């Protein structure tokens, strides 16, 4: 009984949080100068009063702020994300189209960054002070300092222009709808490589450094000394006694960053013409396409919450002590 | 998870990390043989050209939709959906004879009823520019299925230039009649009479058009399909042209500094033809309501301070002509015999001194705000250059960076001192030039009107008379006069007539054949051999 009440309270809290987020989003979005009508007018090269008034009326911008906010929140409660009058389509459709490419890109990059970071960090941490450690640490620092768009362009230069191995941009080849399933998968995968590596690089660098220091710290713990005293090989000690403990801070950190990754993919999505949410957001900001923008904010907050949940699960898998609690 | 499971997971994730590289395979997939892959940037919001006239919408929509006329590189009207036309002696009645075998992409025949519906109803409802033109009509009627008669309230000289595709795209009556035009479901699957029909639009990726088999042009179109790929990053667009993944880029797709390099590649050709209908002119706009911009001498001083050849050569990399006045030299009624403002700091300072605008203790005569238009690097560099140039005359400029919404809102609501702006001329001074200078077009909150707030009864009179004059000689006389007057008055400081590069695969022939170039319908475009 108490348990159910507790869950109920938490759910109510969550709903309230989302409404507060939605309200803040609304105020934020509407406080930028200009509106969708002025953008459309500014881009079409000619306009008149009737056109501006009609666009504003469609968006409901001729209503008082408080009425607009009320209408918006009313729709959010009904899970209605609204309609983009600029693109003449439902916001939910626009977002759903872009959701899959973004999830594919960010999840691949996330996995890549985490796996690579833990692997390289552990390697460096075990050989702290030796040349391989110096090499990895230097490499990580270099990656960390490299701007994402530059790295992306350099990868294109090498792998697309010079070597011709990988496509330079896009999500799939333009005739991809006629491909067999397997051909389609490899096609998308080959398009995925460069953007995923570009996006993963900076995070991998961070995780490598985190993992390295974490490994060094764990290696001074009593249970590791005991294992060493037992005469276990170094490799076995690393795998069985250190890796899991040492990964925890990295995974905690990665979980926090995963949200940022979803929104922060905009640069990579732009360089590689990847049709994802980041670019949709960027365009919507510039176009003051309020319904799209508000819809995106909402979907992204939900995604961040989901990713945090996922991190929690992974955390418990790696450290069974947490699950027992 | 126990240790074995954990190790398994570890192995798997390591495998993912390693295998990331190696999945690759060459994927330079392109449009099928005889097809064209072009770049489109930015992605248009919709393709219904009657509802949206942004440049990218015009580029893609121009293949799907058509209007009654086409225009050659000299802006002479030619046939399109109308095969012939005539004007009455008094210049009040225009009669168009339509082609008889044109069809909509859904198979229905195109008839005069569609033209009447489009011009008298649809466009008047949704299209600001067409509304201004067709509001001049007393009646638009269809005596038979293939004849349309426009009766004007008073003569309007550039009436024949109003039938360019993006100015008056024909829409199907049988689909739109009785619908809410803006929210009709048909807007998602555009149906026109053009040589290419809409097939698919994967947002953020590409738009696919297919040749329309029942197109009325004999043997046209030659291309089998067109893919417009959305490539948001400028460097990636250059790469696409370089590798042959795309065979065509237009307007501002390629950064000015990259044009020369790409044009020199053996498989590419560059032309600046095909923008005559638009003939954009850029200028430094003054807010003539504010001091000291309200004084003609201040505006003249600014003309003396800006080295426009520098802008042409160093900022636009030669892709421009220096503008001499309000009318572009690529359009009719241009007159270059106007006052010249040579580069001279002395003349500028003399004018400013004469105004009594003397330097303060910090050396500045005045400080003014300059919202920088957010249309790319070129505009930012131009703004920075103008700031330096004006500083030499003791005019301190405050650059304000903003985005499209912020800039358009500031300029249309007159919240600026100076800014750069650029307008299309739409083929005739009465359509694209007068709007910037006549006092009847000072309309707060509306972009691309007389936002400078310049007002001069003589200028108003000259433009008004030239618009209704039926003889070209009279028009030339009036426009020559107004050009002289405006250049003396400097309501805006003209900078350059901007040119755009169209870069395309040099196997393509008859691609850029009209004054609307890459916005044209590509019915005649084909691969050599």
């Amino acid at each position: 009984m108490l348990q159910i009440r507790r869950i109920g309270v938490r759910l109510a809290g969550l709903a309230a949080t989302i409404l507060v987020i939605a309200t803040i989003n609304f105020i934020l979005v509407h406080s930028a100068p200009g509106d969708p009508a002025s953008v459309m007018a500014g881009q079409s090269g000619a306009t008149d009063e009737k056109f501006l008034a009609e666009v504003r009326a469609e968006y409901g911008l001729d209503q008082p702020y408080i009425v607009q906010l009320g209408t918006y929140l009313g729709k959010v409660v009904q899970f209605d994300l609204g309609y983009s009058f600029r693109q003449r389509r439902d916001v939910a459709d626009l977002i759903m189209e872009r959701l899959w490419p973004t999830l594919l890109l960010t999840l691949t990059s996330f996995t890549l960054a985490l796996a690579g970071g833990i692997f390289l960090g552990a390697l460096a941490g075990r050989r702290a002070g030796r040349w391989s450690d110096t090499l990895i640490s230097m490499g990580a620092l270099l990656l960390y300092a490299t701007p994402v768009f530059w790295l992306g362009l350099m990868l294109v230069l090498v792998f697309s222009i010079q070597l011709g191995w990988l496509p330079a941009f896009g999500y799939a080849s333009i005739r991809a709808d006629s491909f067999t399933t397997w051909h389609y998968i490899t096609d998308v995968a080959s398009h995925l490589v460069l953007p995923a590596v570009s996006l993963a690089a900076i995070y991998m660098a961070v995780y490598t450094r985190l993992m390295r220091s974490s490994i060094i710290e764990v290696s001074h713990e009593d249970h590791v000394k005991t294992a060493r005293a037992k005469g276990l090989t170094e490799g076995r000690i690393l795998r069985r006694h250190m890796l899991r403990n040492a990964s925890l801070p990295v995974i905690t950190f990665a979980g926090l960053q995963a949200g940022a990754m979803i929104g922060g993919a905009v640069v990579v999505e732009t360089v590689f013409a990847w049709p994802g949410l980041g670019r949709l957001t960027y365009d919507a900001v510039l176009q003051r396409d309020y319904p799209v923008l508000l819809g995106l904010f909402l979907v992204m907050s939900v995604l961040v919450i989901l990713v945090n949940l996922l991190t929690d699960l992974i955390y418990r898998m790696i450290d069974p002590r947490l699950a027992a609690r | 998870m126990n240790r074995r499971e954990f190790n398994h997971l570890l192995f798997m994730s390591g495998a993912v990390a390693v295998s990331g590289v190696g999945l690759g395979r060459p994927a330079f997939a392109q449009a099928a043989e005889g097809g064209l892959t072009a770049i489109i940037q930015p992605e248009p919001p919709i393709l219904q050209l009657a509802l949206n006239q942004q440049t990218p919408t015009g580029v893609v929509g121009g293949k799907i939709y058509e209007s009654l006329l086409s225009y050659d590189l000299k802006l002479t009207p030619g046939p399109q959906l109308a095969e012939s036309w005539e004007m009455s002696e008094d210049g009040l009645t225009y009669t168009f004879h339509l082609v008889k075998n044109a069809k909509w992409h859904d198979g229905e025949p195109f008839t005069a009823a569609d033209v009447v519906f489009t011009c008298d109803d649809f466009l008047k409802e949704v299209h600001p520019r067409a509304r201004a033109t067709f509001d001049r009509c007393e009646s638009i009627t269809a005596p038979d299925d293939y004849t349309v008669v426009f009766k004007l309230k008073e003569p309007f000289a550039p009436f024949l230039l109003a039938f360019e595709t993006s100015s008056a795209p024909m829409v199907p009556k049988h689909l739109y009649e009785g619908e809410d035009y803006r929210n009709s479901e048909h807007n998602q699957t555009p149906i026109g009479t053009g040589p290419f029909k809409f097939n698919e639009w994967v947002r953020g990726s590409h738009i696919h058009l297919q040749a329309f088999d029942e197109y009325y042009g004999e043997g046209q179109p030659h291309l089998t399909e067109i893919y417009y790929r959305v490539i948001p990053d400028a460097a990636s667009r250059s790469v696409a042209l370089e590798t042959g993944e795309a065979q065509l880029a237009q307007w501002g797709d390629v950064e000015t500094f990259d044009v020369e390099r790409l044009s020199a590649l053996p498989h590419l050709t560059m032309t600046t033809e095909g923008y005559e209908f638009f003939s954009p002119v850029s200028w430094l706009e003054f807010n003539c309501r504010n001091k000291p911009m309200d004084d003609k001498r201040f505006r003249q001083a600014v003309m003396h301070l800006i080295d426009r050849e520098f802008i042409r050569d160093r900022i636009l990399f030669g892709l421009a002509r220096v503008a001499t006045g309000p009318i572009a030299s690529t359009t009719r009624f241009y007159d270059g015999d106007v006052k010249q403002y040579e580069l001279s700091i002395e003349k500028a300072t003399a004018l400013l001194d004469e105004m009594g605008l003397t330097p303060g203790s910090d050396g500045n005569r005045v400080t003014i705000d300059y919202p920088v238009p957010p249309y790319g690097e070129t505009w930012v560099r131009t703004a920075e250059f103008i700031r330096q140039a004006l500083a030499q005359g003791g005019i301190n400029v405050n650059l304000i960076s903003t985005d499209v919404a912020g800039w358009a809102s500031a300029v249309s609501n007159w919240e600026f001192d100076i800014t750069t702006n650029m307008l299309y001329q739409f083929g005739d001074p009465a359509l694209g030039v007068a709007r910037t200078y006549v006092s009847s077009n000072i309309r707060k909150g509306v972009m691309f009107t007389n936002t400078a707030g310049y007002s001069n009864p003589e200028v108003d009179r000259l433009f008004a008379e030239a618009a209704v004059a039926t003889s070209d000689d009279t028009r030339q006389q009036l426009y020559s006069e107004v050009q002289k007057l405006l250049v003396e008055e400097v309501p805006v400081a003209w900078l350059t007539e901007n040119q755009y590069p169209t870069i395309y695969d040099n196997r393509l022939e008859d691609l850029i054949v009209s004054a609307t170039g890459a916005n044209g319908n590509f019915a005649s475009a084909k691969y050599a051999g």
Side-chain angles (χ1 to χ4, degrees):
Chain A
M1 207 46 213
L2 196 70
Q3 197 68 17
I4 294 170
R5 229 177 102 185
R6 195 180 283 165
I7 291 171
V9 169
R10 283 201 66 174
L11 277 179
L14 203 66
T17 315
I18 287 183
L19 279 187
V20 171
I21 290 178
T23 309
I24 294 174
N25 285 346
F26 181 89
I27 294 168
L28 214 63
V29 162
H30 281 78
S31 58
D35 64 14
S38 66
V39 177
M40 275 153 102
Q43 290 173 336
S44 54
T47 184
D48 63 5
E49 285 91 347
K50 185 170 189 280
F51 176 81
L52 291 171
E54 268 159 4
V55 174
R56 293 199 172 114
E58 278 191 318
Y59 275 90
L61 297 174
D62 49 351
Q63 306 283 326
Y65 256 7
I66 195 77
V67 176
Q68 292 183 42
L69 178 61
T71 317
Y72 170 60
L73 290 182
K75 282 185 175 170
V76 168
V77 171
Q78 300 167 49
F79 300 103
D80 177 2
L81 294 182
Y83 184 75
S84 164
F85 294 100
R86 184 185 167 85
Q87 311 202 32
R88 305 272 157 205
R89 297 191 64 198
D90 280 331
V91 172
D93 289 350
L94 284 171
I95 293 178
M96 284 315 289
E97 272 175 3
R98 303 293 188 94
L99 190 60
W100 164 241
T102 285
L103 284 181
L104 182 67
L105 176 62
T106 40
L107 287 180
T108 312
S109 301
F110 186 68
T111 318
L112 198 67
L114 203 57
I118 289 177
F119 178 72
L120 289 173
L123 209 68
R126 281 310 295 154
R127 298 167 189 203
R130 279 191 257 167
W131 68 267
S132 51
D133 168 42
T134 317
L135 199 71
I136 291 173
S137 299
M138 288 278 287
L141 192 66
L142 205 67
L143 271 189
Y144 185 68
T146 310
V148 174
F149 73 91
W150 188 82
L151 180 67
L153 288 175
M154 288 307 118
L155 288 175
V156 167
L157 199 66
V158 174
F159 292 99
S160 302
I161 300 184
Q162 300 290 336
L163 299 172
W165 289 354
L166 294 166
F169 54 84
Y171 168 76
S173 299
I174 46 179
R175 304 202 68 81
D177 42 357
S178 62
F179 291 175
T180 59
T181 313
W182 176 242
H183 188 178
Y184 183 75
I185 291 170
T186 52
D187 183 60
V188 172
S190 70
H191 281 82
L192 179 63
V193 176
L194 294 184
V197 170
S198 308
L199 183 59
I202 194 166
Y203 295 98
M204 179 149 44
V206 174
Y207 304 153
T208 303
R209 293 181 70 79
L210 257 178
M211 187 66 189
R212 178 180 174 274
S213 56
S214 189
I215 282 278
I216 293 174
E217 204 178 296
V218 173
S219 67
H220 296 305
E221 300 241 340
D222 286 344
H223 75 273
V224 177
K225 287 181 185 158
T226 312
R228 202 164 282 142
K230 277 200 304 192
L232 295 182
T233 63
E234 283 297 311
R236 207 171 161 78
I237 294 172
L238 177 67
R239 279 199 309 279
R240 303 191 63 163
H241 296 281
M242 292 168 68
L243 212 45
R244 277 211 238 189
N245 304 22
S247 334
L248 287 180
V250 180
I251 288 166
T252 312
F253 195 64
L256 286 174
Q257 282 193 327
M261 213 165 179
I262 293 170
V266 59
V267 175
V268 171
E269 289 180 1
T270 303
V271 170
F272 291 99
W274 191 264
L277 287 181
R279 251 173 71 205
L280 187 64
T281 315
Y282 181 73
D283 291 342
V285 171
L286 290 188
Q287 295 157 354
R288 302 284 191 277
D289 201 342
Y290 298 147
V292 177
L293 207 50
L294 291 170
L296 279 164
F297 284 167
L298 208 64
V299 168
M300 282 190 188
S301 11
V302 172
L303 277 181
V304 168
I305 291 171
L306 286 181
V307 168
N308 281 331
L309 208 71
L310 198 73
T311 323
D312 254 15
L313 284 175
I314 296 177
Y315 216 87
R316 276 153 199 258
M317 272 161 60
I318 290 180
D319 190 347
R321 290 172 302 177
L322 287 171
R325 251 172 239 166
Chain B
M1 177 165 32
N2 63 30
R3 271 187 194 135
R4 188 167 300 127
E5 285 165 356
F6 178 73
N7 286 339
H8 190 65
L9 184 78
L10 201 69
F11 171 77
M12 292 278 286
S13 54
V16 169
V18 175
S19 67
V21 192
L23 275 174
R25 30 180 296 131
F28 296 139
Q30 296 180 3
E33 191 69 18
L36 169 70
T37 305
I39 291 170
I40 190 71
Q41 173 59 28
E43 186 169 24
I46 53 172
L47 297 179
Q48 212 323 351
L49 196 48
L51 291 175
N52 182 296
Q53 292 86 46
Q54 287 169 27
T55 307
T57 316
V59 170
V60 183
K63 316 290 173 282
I64 303 169
Y65 292 98
E66 288 181 331
S67 192
L68 299 187
L69 301 176
S70 62
Y71 305 89
D72 69 11
L73 297 177
K74 297 236 174 304
L75 289 166
T76 316
Q80 190 75 72
L81 282 169
E83 54 188 12
S84 65
W85 56 94
E86 65 255 356
M87 180 185 84
S88 65
E89 277 299 311
D90 57 6
L92 286 174
T93 309
Y94 288 81
T95 309
F96 292 87
H97 304 282
L98 307 180
V99 294
K100 298 204 170 54
N101 52 349
K103 279 188 176 164
W104 295 102
H105 295 158
D106 61 359
E108 294 288 319
F110 163 81
T111 66
D114 292 308
V115 182
V116 174
F117 170 75
T118 300
C119 298
D120 208 18
D121 200 335
F122 196 104
L123 293 179
K124 274 191 186 171
E125 179 64 31
V126 300
H127 192 310
R129 213 145 37 81
R131 180 152 57 223
T133 309
F134 296 118
D135 275 348
R136 293 171 179 274
C137 292
E138 198 177 273
S139 70
I140 303 172
T141 50
D144 64 60
D145 267 1
Y146 297 101
T147 311
V148 185
V149 180
F150 293 81
K151 273 203 166 48
L152 273 66
K153 293 172 190 158
E154 58 175 346
F156 185 53
F159 191 67
L160 280 179
L161 282 154
F163 294 94
E164 177 270 336
T165 302
S166 75
S167 311
M170 294 298 138
V171 296
K173 181 182 182 186
H174 66 277
L175 294 180
Y176 279 107
E177 195 172 31
E179 295 257 320
D180 169 5
Y181 303 149
R182 287 185 186 77
N183 295 310
S184 165
E185 58 182 82
H186 300 300
N187 296 335
Q188 296 306 322
T189 48
I191 299 281
T193 58
F196 295 91
K197 60 180 187 198
F198 172 78
N199 178 44
E200 183 197 35
W201 183 358
V202 180
R203 301 228 170 206
S205 174
H206 64 264
I207 298 164
H208 184 206
L209 309 178
Q210 277 173 331
F212 177 44
D213 296 334
E214 298 177 82
Y215 186 63
Y216 58 90
E218 189 67 39
Q220 292 176 330
H222 305 286
L223 297 175
T224 54
E225 60 179 352
I226 305 178
Y227 275 97
Y228 275 105
R229 297 209 71 169
V230 183
I231 309 178
D233 184 64
S236 306
R237 290 196 289 277
S238 294
V239 167
L241 287 170
E242 217 171 325
T243 57
E245 275 186 89
Q247 291 103 47
L248 168 67
Q250 60 278 317
W251 290 99
D253 289 346
V254 172
E255 294 277 1
T256 45
F257 53 79
D258 238 1
V259 171
E260 204 179 302
R261 183 178 69 84
L262 290 177
S263 315
L265 291 177
H267 70 288
L268 295 175
T269 302
M270 193 277 279
T271 177
T272 56
E273 283 184 347
Y275 296 93
E276 292 75 9
F277 183 80
F278 310 101
S279 291
V281 174
S282 71
W283 58 69
L284 186 68
E285 188 155 317
F286 302 101
N287 188 342
C288 297
R289 302 163 193 86
N290 296 0
K291 282 191 181 313
M293 282 74 66
D294 60 341
D295 192 318
K296 172 173 106 177
R297 290 168 294 183
F298 180 84
R299 306 195 297 259
Q300 289 175 331
V302 169
M303 278 297 262
H304 281 300
L305 285 172
I306 299 174
D307 183 353
R308 291 166 306 150
E309 277 157 24
F310 181 93
I311 295 179
R312 178 193 64 195
D313 297 336
R314 304 268 174 254
I315 297 175
L316 300 173
F317 291 85
L319 285 166
R321 284 190 201 94
V322 168
T324 59
I327 298 178
S329 62
T330 41
T331 60
R332 297 165 77 205
F333 309 116
Y334 165 78
D335 192 338
D337 181 22
V338 290
K339 181 172 174 180
Q340 305 291 319
Y341 292 88
E342 72 273 25
L343 189 64
S344 164
I345 297 173
E346 292 75 38
K347 286 198 173 162
T349 47
L351 281 164
L352 295 171
D353 287 339
E354 191 192 316
M355 283 173 66
L357 202 64
T358 46
S361 53
D362 55 356
N364 295 333
R365 295 170 195 268
V366 63
T367 298
I368 48 181
D369 285 343
Y370 182 160
V372 181
Y375 294 116
E377 272 302 294
T378 311
W379 295 97
V380 177
R381 280 181 216 143
T382 306
E384 283 163 354
F385 173 71
I386 287 173
R387 193 169 87 100
Q388 281 177 23
L390 298 195
Q392 292 181 314
I395 301 166
N396 185 30
V397 174
N398 211 354
L399 296 182
I400 300 165
S401 28
T402 172
D403 62 0
V404 177
W407 179 75
S409 151
V411 175
S412 61
N413 289 303
W414 311 339
E415 290 153 2
F416 68 102
D417 290 322
I418 56 171
T419 187
T420 16
N421 204 347
M422 183 176 77
L423 264 69
Y424 294 166
Q425 304 221 324
F426 299 125
D428 192 282
L431 294 173
V433 179
R435 57 181 177 156
T436 307
Y437 309 102
V438 295
S439 58
S440 57
N441 205 26
I442 300 178
R443 298 186 285 170
K444 192 169 190 170
V446 187
M447 201 57 206
F448 306 121
T449 53
N450 182 351
T451 40
Y454 175 75
S455 172
N456 182 338
E458 182 62 6
V459 170
D460 290 351
R461 182 185 69 81
L462 289 167
F463 272 123
E465 283 180 15
V468 298
T470 42
S471 118
D472 279 355
D473 290 343
T474 320
R475 296 192 78 203
Q476 180 67 62
Q477 224 172 347
L478 292 163
Y479 282 129
S480 289
E481 208 176 317
V482 85
Q483 285 174 80
K484 282 199 177 63
L485 182 56
L486 284 173
V487 174
E488 166 65 27
E489 290 265 305
V490 203
V492 304
W494 301 279
L495 300 173
T496 49
E497 295 174 10
N498 294 45
Q499 297 176 327
Y500 289 93
T502 301
I503 300 182
Y504 58 96
D505 191 309
N506 54 19
R507 287 171 303 160
L508 284 163
E509 283 177 352
D510 298 332
L511 186 72
I512 304 301
V513 292
S514 74
T516 52
N519 291 37
N521 68 9
F522 286 180
S524 63
K526 58 173 178 285
Y527 282 99

